Amino acid sequence: MQIERGPTKTLISMASLFLLLFLPHLFFLQSTEAAAATSAGSIVFTTLGRSRYSFDIFSLSIASQFDSISLSQETQLTDGVSVNFNGFFPSSNTILYVSERNGTHHLLLDLLPSIEQVTLPPHSVFADSGKTRFDLTPHLSPVSMKDRPSLSGENLIYVSTHVPSSSPRKSWAGVYSTHISTLHTKRLTPDVVADFSPAISPSGYWTVVASLSAWSREVEELNTDLYLFRTSDGSQRTFIEHHAGWPCWADDSTLYFHRRDESGWWGVYKAVLSVTGDLISLISVNRITPTGFHAFTPAASPGLPGVVAIATRRPDSKYRHIELVDLRNEGNYSYIEVTRTVNPLSHHYNPFISPDGSRIGYHRCRGGSNGNPPLLFENLRSIAPEEFSLFRFDGSFPSISPDGKHVAFVNLPGVYVANTDGSGSVREIFSGNAFPTAWDWKREGVIYTSYGQEFASESTKVDIISLYIGNNNAETVIKKLTTGGNNNAFPSPSPDGKWIVFRSGRSGHKNLYIMDSSKGEFAGLYQLTEGPWTDTMCNWSPDGEWIAFSSNRDNPGGDGFAIYMVHPNGTGLRRVVYTGEGGRANHPIFSPDSKKLVFTSDYAGVSAEPISNPHHYQPYGDIFTINIDGSGIRRLTHNSYEDGTPAWTKYFLEPKDVSESLKGSAFCGFDDCHWLNVEARQNKIGGTSC
Ligand SMILES: *[C@@H]1O[C@H](CO)[C@@H](O)[C@H](O)[C@H]1NC(C)=O
Ligand SMILES: *[C@@H]1O[C@H](CO)[C@@H](O)[C@H](O)[C@H]1NC(C)=O
Ligand SMILES: *[C@@H]1O[C@H](CO)[C@@H](O)[C@H](O)[C@H]1NC(C)=O
C-alpha cells in the first residue's frame, strides 16, 4: 500500500497547462556523491510481506526409474537465519543461494554436512580450507542486490544491481561473472538492457538470460526475450525467442522457459536449438504444460533427462507447489507432486535440480517453530552510516514519536504503537481501517491518521482523526477533525503544532488543504493547491518552510506521480522528483534538517521477474533520498520487493535488529501473487497493476 491511485477522469485545465509549460524541469543526474553528512538520524520503511518471509531452502532426493519417479522426505538445507532463497546445486552436496542476513545481500555457498561423500565443485577455493561456508561476493557492495547465482567451473554467474543504469526507470539488474579465486568480475550484460534469470549451459559455454530492453511498468509478467551469450565474456550475444522468461537448460541444445499466454495462463515451453560452434539457431518451440492451471519457473538437469521441475498454481489449491513433469512417455506426460503431499498449506518457490539428477531443491517459509522470530526493526546496511541508520519495519506507515521512544504504525485494519527499543508489548490504539500515522510535534501522545478506505475515489468516506493515547493503559481519545468524509487523508502537522496539511477530495479532485490541528476544519480551512488532478501524501518540513507532496499534475488523471514542494503560503511550487511519463515517486518525507527528502520510487525499475517472488503490487518500489533542489539522488534499497512508506527521524536508532514476539501462525503471513489466483483470472478481476 504505497501508491495513491489517481482519479479516473479529469480535465486538463488552463491551470494545469500553465504548470506543464512553466514548471522547472528537473532531471536526474546519475547517482551522485553523497553530500556531506549533516543529519544523524534513522530511516525506517516498510517492505510488503518481507518481514514474514523466513525463507529457507529445502530439498528432497529423487529416485528415477525407467518409468517412475519417487521422492524422499523433505530436508532443510539452509540454517534458518534471515531469508535464504533462489538456490542452485553446484554439486549434489553443495548449495549456492542468496541470503539477506546481516542486512545485506550475499551469495553463499555451503558444504552440506549431512552428506558423507562430499564431492566439492571442481575448485581449489573450497578444497582443504576447513570451512563449510563461503561468501562468494565479498568484493561487491553489500547493499546491492545479488540474485539467481549459478556456478560453472570457476565462474560464478549472477544478477547484481551494483552499477546504476543510465536513465530513470531502467532496471539496474545486469548479469555478472566473478572468477571465484581471483574475484575478477565482468559485466556480461550490455549497458543498454537489463538481464534477469541467467542459466549456464551444462557445458558451461553458453549462458541464457531473460532480457528486458524497455520497461513499461509491467508488474506481473515482464516483456522479456531470451538471449544467449558466451559465459566467458558475454560475446556472441544471440536472440533466441520473444516473450519468454526464466530459462533453464536440459542439455546443451534444449531449453525450457515460461510465458503467460493470451488467455492468461502461465505455461512451460521447450525450445530446441541447433548449435554449431558459435552459430546458434532456434529449431522449435513447443508448449509442455496445458492450460487450465498455471505452470512456471521451470528447472531441468542433464542428470534427469526427460524430466522438468515446475512451480504450479492449480485451481484446487491456493498454494504454489513444486511438481515434476515426466516427459519421457511421448504423448502422455505425467505430473508428480513434490511438495503438496509434504506441506499442502505453504507456498514453494523456484525449483532447481542437482547436476546428477539426485536432488530437487526450492525455498519456502520455514514456519514459526523453526528459526528466529520476525523482526520489528530489521537493520539494513546503510549507504551513509554516519548520516542515518536504515531499518525495514514490520508494519506500514511507521512514524517515530518526537522523543524517539515510540513508533506508530498501521497493520490494516488497525493503528498500533510499539517502543522503538522493542521493550514492552505492541499496543493497538485504534481498531478501524486507518492510514497513515503522524505524531504531533508539540502535544505529547497525539497521533494523526485518517479513518476509512485506502486507495479510494474522491467521494469515499475518509476523515482525519487525532488519537490521544495518554499513558500506557489509557483508552485512546478519538477526535474527528474533518467532516463530510470526502476522502480527507494523509494529515501532516506543522512543526509548531498549530496546523495540519492534508489532502481532500471535497472539490471533486484531491488537492491539499490546511486546517487548525486541534479544532480541525470547523475553525476554517485554507486551500493550498487547486487543480483537476491528484495532490496527496503531503509532509510538512521540520523547519516549517515547505510542504512536499506527490502529484499526477504532469498528466492529470494518469497514474504517474512526481514529487513537488510548495511553501505553506502557496508560493514557490516546484517539482523535485520526476521519473518520466507514467513514472512513480511517492511518499516524500523530509530529513530532520529539512534539506533532503526520502521517498519511494520506480527510479531503478524492477530487479527480478515478479513471478519468482510472493506478491508485490509494485515490485519496482525502492527507497531513495534526494536533496530538495533535485540533486544528489541516492538509492538506499536494492531488492525485487515493494518498499514504501518511509519515515526519517532525527534520532539515531542503534543499527541492530529488534525482534518482536509473535504467535507461530503469523510467521509466514504473506500472499502469493494475487494475479495467479485462478478465480481472479477467470473473472478478469485480477490482472491490473496496482
Ligand atoms: C555484519 O555487518 C556489520 C556492519 O553492519 C559488519 O561489521 C559485520 O562484519 C557483518 N557480519 C557478518 C558476519 O557479515
Ligand atoms: C498415461 O500414463 C499413466 C501413468 O503414468 C497411465 O496410468 C495412463 O493409463 C496413461 N494414459 C495413456 C492414454 O496412455
Ligand atoms: C511565503 O513563504 C515563504 C517561505 O516561508 C517566504 O519566503 C515568502 O516570502 C512568503 N511569500 C509571501 C507572499 O508571503
Side-chain angles (χ1 to χ4, degrees):
M1 218 211 18
Q2 63 176 222
I3 303 291
E4 180 65 7
R5 280 185 181 151
T8 48
K9 67 175 170 84
T10 48
L11 310 163
I12 296 190
S13 67
M14 287 308 289
S16 70
L17 280 175
F18 176 85
L19 287 166
L20 284 171
L21 293 173
F22 297 109
L23 277 173
H25 286 252
L26 300 169
F27 292 105
F28 281 118
L29 300 170
Q30 244 211 39
S31 160
T32 51
E33 290 302 308
T38 49
S39 49
S42 298
I43 292 175
V44 179
F45 67 96
T46 307
T47 305
L48 188 76
R50 165 60 179 72
S51 299
R52 307 290 170 92
Y53 281 6
S54 301
F55 285 154
D56 266 306
I57 292 172
F58 291 77
S59 125
L60 288 87
S61 37
I62 305 173
S64 172
Q65 257 86 58
F66 167 66
D67 59 355
S68 72
I69 287 177
S70 58
L71 295 148
S72 74
Q73 258 190 325
E74 188 189 51
T75 318
Q76 181 173 337
L77 299 186
T78 47
D79 62 3
V81 173
S82 182
V83 170
N84 304 305
F85 60 102
N86 284 356
F88 174 87
F89 286 122
S91 65
S92 62
N93 39 36
T94 52
I95 175 102
L96 173 61
Y97 57 100
V98 186
S99 185
E100 295 185 353
R101 65 193 61 209
N102 207 19
T104 60
H105 260 94
H106 283 289
L107 300 179
L108 301 182
L109 186 139
D110 287 1
L111 312 185
L112 297 173
S114 55
I115 295 150
E116 285 165 16
Q117 201 68 38
V118 172
T119 321
L120 295 175
H123 193 282
S124 54
V125 168
F126 305 113
D128 305 323
S129 69
K131 295 201 297 177
T132 55
R133 174 166 298 152
F134 301 85
D135 181 349
L136 300 188
T137 48
H139 58 305
L140 294 185
S141 156
V143 173
S144 65
M145 188 192 87
K146 290 101 192 165
D147 197 15
R148 295 302 310 280
S150 52
L151 189 62
S152 171
E154 304 230 320
N155 292 316
L156 175 72
I157 303 291
Y158 55 97
V159 173
S160 174
T161 57
H162 64 278
V163 177
S165 73
S166 50
S167 54
R169 291 163 79 203
K170 187 180 135 2
S171 173
W172 296 18
V175 170
Y176 293 81
S177 138
T178 291
H179 185 261
I180 55 175
S181 42
T182 62
L183 297 182
H184 179 68
T185 296
K186 280 182 266 198
R187 182 179 169 105
L188 304 179
T189 298
D191 290 340
V192 292
V193 298
D195 285 341
F196 306 99
S197 314
I200 312 178
S201 65
S203 70
Y205 192 79
W206 296 105
T207 290
V208 61
V209 294
S211 186
L212 188 65
S213 52
W215 180 57
S216 6
R217 270 226 352 251
E218 297 91 6
V219 294
E220 298 176 6
E221 184 186 28
L222 301 182
N223 187 20
T224 54
D225 298 328
L226 297 189
Y227 279 83
L228 289 190
F229 51 73
R230 283 177 57 177
T231 306
S232 58
D233 59 3
S235 65
Q236 302 291 330
R237 191 174 168 99
T238 309
F239 167 81
I240 297 295
E241 174 74 343
H242 281 299
H243 182 193
W246 205 267
C248 67
W249 299 87
D251 57 53
D252 270 90
S253 59
T254 311
L255 292 171
Y256 295 99
F257 62 85
H258 66 202
R259 87 166 34 128
R260 185 164 63 175
D261 69 20
E262 281 168 6
S263 61
W265 293 109
W266 287 77
V268 169
Y269 295 73
K270 178 180 182 177
V272 177
L273 309 174
S274 145
V275 184
T276 318
D278 274 351
L279 271 185
I280 299 265
S281 59
L282 179 65
I283 295 175
S284 64
V285 169
N286 286 296
R287 185 171 181 147
I288 298 296
T289 60
T291 59
F293 67 96
H294 295 297
F296 43 84
T297 59
S301 163
L304 197 60
V307 177
V308 57
I310 56 175
T312 60
R313 281 297 304 274
R314 291 188 179 262
D316 62 349
S317 173
K318 290 192 166 66
Y319 293 92
R320 183 185 294 209
H321 281 294
I322 308 302
E323 301 181 32
L324 290 170
V325 194
D326 189 342
L327 307 168
R328 291 176 297 181
N329 186 356
E330 195 73 48
N332 185 15
Y333 297 163
S334 52
Y335 289 80
I336 300 121
E337 303 272 15
V338 177
T339 57
R340 199 167 167 177
T341 47
V342 186
N343 311 291
L345 307 183
S346 197
H347 296 299
H348 301 75
Y349 295 89
N350 306 352
F352 54 102
I353 302 175
S354 64
D356 65 0
S358 71
R359 279 178 170 249
I360 179 166
Y362 49 83
H363 61 266
R364 70 165 173 87
C365 196
R366 60 183 165 260
S369 57
N370 186 7
N372 303 320
L375 301 172
L376 188 63
F377 289 87
E378 178 183 1
N379 179 230
L380 301 186
R381 197 69 67 91
S382 167
I383 56 161
E386 304 303 309
E387 189 186 338
F388 54 82
S389 54
L390 179 68
F391 297 89
R392 171 179 289 130
F393 185 80
D394 186 12
S396 48
F397 294 108
S399 66
I400 311 290
S401 61
D403 65 4
K405 291 183 180 155
H406 308 287
V407 55
F409 61 98
V410 165
N411 212 334
L412 287 173
V415 181
Y416 298 81
V417 170
N419 294 337
T420 46
D421 64 4
S423 67
S425 55
V426 174
R427 176 179 167 199
E428 184 183 77
I429 59 163
F430 184 71
S431 62
N433 197 89
F435 65 98
T437 66
W439 296 78
D440 192 287
W441 297 84
K442 298 288 182 197
R443 291 187 293 149
E444 210 180 310
V446 173
I447 296 166
Y448 301 99
T449 186
S450 29
Y451 173 40
Q453 187 58 47
E454 72 280 8
F455 294 120
S457 71
E458 285 74 4
S459 60
T460 305
K461 192 159 170 41
V462 183
D463 273 307
I464 290 171
I465 55 177
S466 66
L467 304 172
Y468 174 63
I469 60 173
N471 298 324
N472 262 343
N473 296 314
E475 203 153 290
T476 306
V477 180
I478 303 168
K479 191 165 163 187
K480 201 169 160 198
L481 298 175
T482 57
T483 184
N486 291 308
N487 213 335
N488 302 304
F490 287 101
S492 177
S494 61
D496 62 9
K498 290 184 180 148
W499 309 103
I500 287 175
V501 62
F502 65 104
R503 75 104 199 270
S504 174
R506 61 188 63 212
S507 70
H509 303 288
K510 292 174 184 166
N511 293 135
L512 303 185
Y513 297 78
I514 293 174
M515 67 180 171
D516 187 284
S517 66
S518 57
K519 298 189 193 104
E521 73 167 273
F522 312 102
L525 202 59
Y526 162 64
Q527 183 163 5
L528 179 61
T529 64
E530 184 172 6
W533 50 68
T534 293
D535 299 321
T536 185
M537 301 173 185
C538 35
N539 182 248
W540 207 311
S541 65
D543 66 4
E545 288 287 300
W546 291 103
I547 287 161
F549 60 101
S550 193
S551 177
N552 68 354
R553 58 179 64 205
D554 291 300
N555 179 18
D559 58 5
F561 280 80
I563 291 172
Y564 284 79
M565 295 196 338
V566 64
H567 287 306
N569 63 14
T571 67
L573 179 77
R574 68 177 198 230
R575 190 169 72 184
V576 189
V577 184
Y578 177 64
T579 69
E581 196 182 327
R584 291 286 176 91
N586 288 91
H587 292 295
I589 301 284
F590 281 95
S591 60
D593 66 2
S594 302
K595 291 183 175 151
K596 297 190 181 84
L597 291 168
V598 63
F599 61 99
T600 180
S601 175
D602 63 358
Y603 178 73
V606 268
S607 299
E609 291 190 49
I611 195 165
S612 64
N613 274 327
H615 194 69
H616 292 270
Y617 293 93
Q618 295 159 129
Y620 47 76
D622 270 304
I623 305 295
F624 299 82
T625 66
I626 196 165
N627 299 325
I628 58 169
D629 65 3
S631 70
I633 188 165
R634 293 181 296 180
R635 181 176 184 181
L636 269 45
T637 62
H638 290 245
N639 59 57
S640 53
Y641 312 139
E642 174 176 348
D643 298 329
T645 64
W648 198 336
T649 169
K650 69 178 178 184
Y651 293 97
F652 184 76
L653 305 176
E654 277 304 307
K656 59 181 195 333
D657 293 339
V658 175
S659 298
E660 61 189 289
S661 50
L662 265 181
K663 290 171 229 82
S665 62
F667 278 73
C668 300
F670 55 87
D671 292 321
D672 198 19
C673 301
H674 288 170
W675 33 268
L676 287 173
N677 179 321
V678 175
E679 301 81 58
R681 198 201 65 82
Q682 282 162 349
N683 299 332
K684 298 198 194 317
I685 55 170
T688 56
S689 69
C690 58

